[in-house]
Structures are given as C-alpha cells and as structure tokens.
Amino acid sequence: MPTLSTSTLCALAAILLWGSLALISVRLSSVPPFLLVGVALCIGGLCGLPRWRDWRIPGKTLLLGCYGLFGYHFCLFLALRYAPALEANLINYLWPLLIVLLSPLILPNMRLTGRHVLGGLLGLSGCVLIVLGKGVVSLGSQHLLGYVLAAIAAVMWATYSLLTQRVPPFPTGAVGGFCMASGLLSLLAHAALEPAYRIGAAEWAWLGLLGMGPMGAAFFLWDAALKRGDARAIGTLAYLTPLLSTGLLAAFGGGQFGWQAAVALCLILAGAWLGNRTAA
C-alpha cells in the first residue's frame, strides 16, 4: 500500500493552496473583503465551467455548498471586522479539530479513538503556537461579537466538510457551482455592506491567482480528498495551513520563521501522523 493515498495528496494540495491565501491577500489589502471574496469565488466557479453539467444537483446540495463557501467567508470576514485579526484567526483555526471531533456525530460507521483526539489536540497546539507567534491574545468582551462570528465560521466549515458526505452523492465538478453561487452572494453582500470600489489592473491579476488557487482549485481538491479519505485524518492534516501560511509570508518578507514555527511543525506533523495512522 502506498505511503501517501490519493485522498492525502488531494488534501495536502488543497492545504498548500490555502497556505498561500495570506500571502496573496497582502497584495489585495485595499480591496473590500466581500468584493474580494465575491470576485475570487466567481473566478473559481469559471474554472469549473468545463464540468458545468455537474452543476445540475439537488437544491439541498446547492444550499449546502453556499452554506459552506459563502457562509464561512461571510462570518469570517465579519469576525475580522469586529475583532482583532490575531484572536479571530486563532478561533477560526478550530475547524480542523472540529472536523476530527464531529466526524463520529455526523458520519455513519465512524468512531473517535484516543489517538484521533490526541492527534487533533497536538495539531491545535501547533496552530495556537503559530497564531500567537508575535503576541499575546486577550479575549476582551468588547470584541465578543467578532469572537462569536469566528467560532461560527469554524463550525460552518467543519460541518460543511462533513455534511457533503451525508447528502446524495454529487460529482466534485459541482463545487464550481458552489463557488459561482457563493461568489454572487458575496457580491450582493458587498453591494449592501461596503462602499463602491474600482479594482485596479494589478489587483485583477492577484484576484485571478486567488480565484484559480486558494479560492478555486483548493475547494475541488478538498472535496475530492473528503470523498476518498478518512475525515478524521484529513482534519489533522489541515493544521498545516497556518504553518505554511507563516512560512510563505516569512519567505517573501512578510514575517519571520522563528523557533515557534519549528516547534509547531513538530506538533502538527505528530498530530497528522497519529490521525493518518489510525485511519489505516
């Protein structure tokens, strides 16, 4: 049996793309968040046009896709508006642990073992170390709404990832429809909640990269991984996301890769190994 399964490779590819999200977003810091999300998701949807016939899915499945892609980003970006980014980001990165812990509650014929719990907690510890790298978190009550929204975002992505396995089977190509519908909803949110903004030529180039990668292909790869693999093991692998994000920012002058990142790497890899070992 190969060391890396197809599901693991798909999950790692999605996580690698998500790791570039912060680096690309730095280039788009002046674009209003819902406009950014809307345009990027629509580009991701356009990338799925060659499989447009796969978009013909039951309404319940499409609603689930919008719940995951639009609902998650809607809550996350509102959380970043109402709470400090450091704290909101930390709470948001609870979603991999929630995937591990909620799997037995949502998916049939699946149980949680002590190793899964330990793997999830090791990954969470590494995640916390990465996010706290340069500061101390203070969860003040004045930012309570932002913290609640970040927690809701984490729950939404975790449950979306698991519930896609409970609806009638649908092709991975249908994710393109999820992206397009969610992108249009995000553009409506932009029109309702944000001031008008004209996107520059350089920003369009970065938006194209964002839409084709972390907010496009990554969603297709994530869906393919969940369809083929063990959600508990994939959830532990997802803790590599903040580590990769920090590493890429450091490599391109947007941060520092210090001892915290090295320790976090050991914790995350140990947690991912435990999760995948029990899935075998």
Side-chain angles (χ1 to χ4, degrees):
M1 182 177 293
T3 303
L4 293 180
S5 65
T6 301
S7 63
T8 300
L9 289 173
C10 287
L12 288 173
I15 290 164
L16 179 63
L17 289 172
W18 282 331
S20 70
L21 181 62
L23 181 63
I24 298 174
S25 297
V26 168
R27 309 289 183 174
L28 297 166
S29 58
S30 60
V31 181
F34 289 120
L35 177 61
L36 186 155
V37 171
V39 172
L41 284 176
C42 285
I43 292 172
L46 290 174
C47 292
L49 272 180
R51 301 294 298 272
W52 66 269
R53 289 183 177 84
D54 293 341
W55 296 10
R56 293 180 291 188
I57 52 177
K60 181 174 68 173
T61 303
L62 179 60
L63 285 175
L64 176 61
C66 292
Y67 163 81
L69 273 64
F70 170 72
Y72 167 74
H73 290 100
F74 183 88
C75 290
L76 177 59
F77 280 104
L78 282 183
L80 294 172
R81 177 176 295 183
Y82 291 115
L86 190 71
E87 288 89 336
N89 208 32
L90 170 60
I91 296 171
N92 169 55
Y93 276 127
L94 290 172
W95 66 260
L97 180 62
L98 290 173
I99 287 179
V100 176
L101 297 180
L102 293 176
S103 294
L105 300 178
I106 296 177
L107 300 180
N109 303 320
M110 189 168 288
R111 63 186 182 90
L112 202 61
T113 69
R115 287 187 176 181
H116 284 117
V117 174
L118 179 58
L121 291 176
L122 284 173
L124 178 61
S125 300
C127 173
V128 170
L129 195 57
I130 284 293
V131 177
L132 297 186
K134 291 187 178 180
V136 178
V137 168
S138 175
L139 299 178
S141 59
Q142 69 270 27
H143 303 302
L144 181 60
L145 177 59
Y147 301 145
V148 171
L149 286 167
I152 292 173
V155 171
M156 292 184 82
W157 188 255
T159 52
Y160 159 76
S161 297
L162 295 171
L163 287 172
T164 55
Q165 313 308 305
R166 292 302 304 270
V167 296
F170 62 90
T172 293
V175 173
F178 296 171
C179 289
M180 185 62 71
S182 299
L184 293 175
L185 287 173
S186 296
L187 292 177
L188 288 176
H190 161 68
L193 300 173
E194 297 173 336
Y197 182 85
R198 185 171 182 177
I199 301 173
E203 291 171 329
W204 273 114
W206 285 108
L207 278 168
L209 188 60
L210 182 68
M212 289 185 288
M215 296 188 70
F219 297 136
F220 292 88
L221 289 164
W222 187 248
D223 182 77
L226 289 169
K227 280 182 166 60
R228 293 169 170 80
D230 187 321
R232 298 164 298 180
I234 292 170
T236 58
L237 287 173
Y239 279 117
L240 288 168
T241 308
L243 179 69
L244 290 171
S245 179
T246 301
L248 285 173
L249 284 172
F252 288 90
Q256 294 182 347
F257 194 90
W259 67 267
Q260 296 98 331
V263 175
L265 176 61
C266 296
L267 291 169
I268 290 168
L269 291 178
W273 176 78
L274 278 175
N276 278 283
R277 187 167 183 258
T278 53

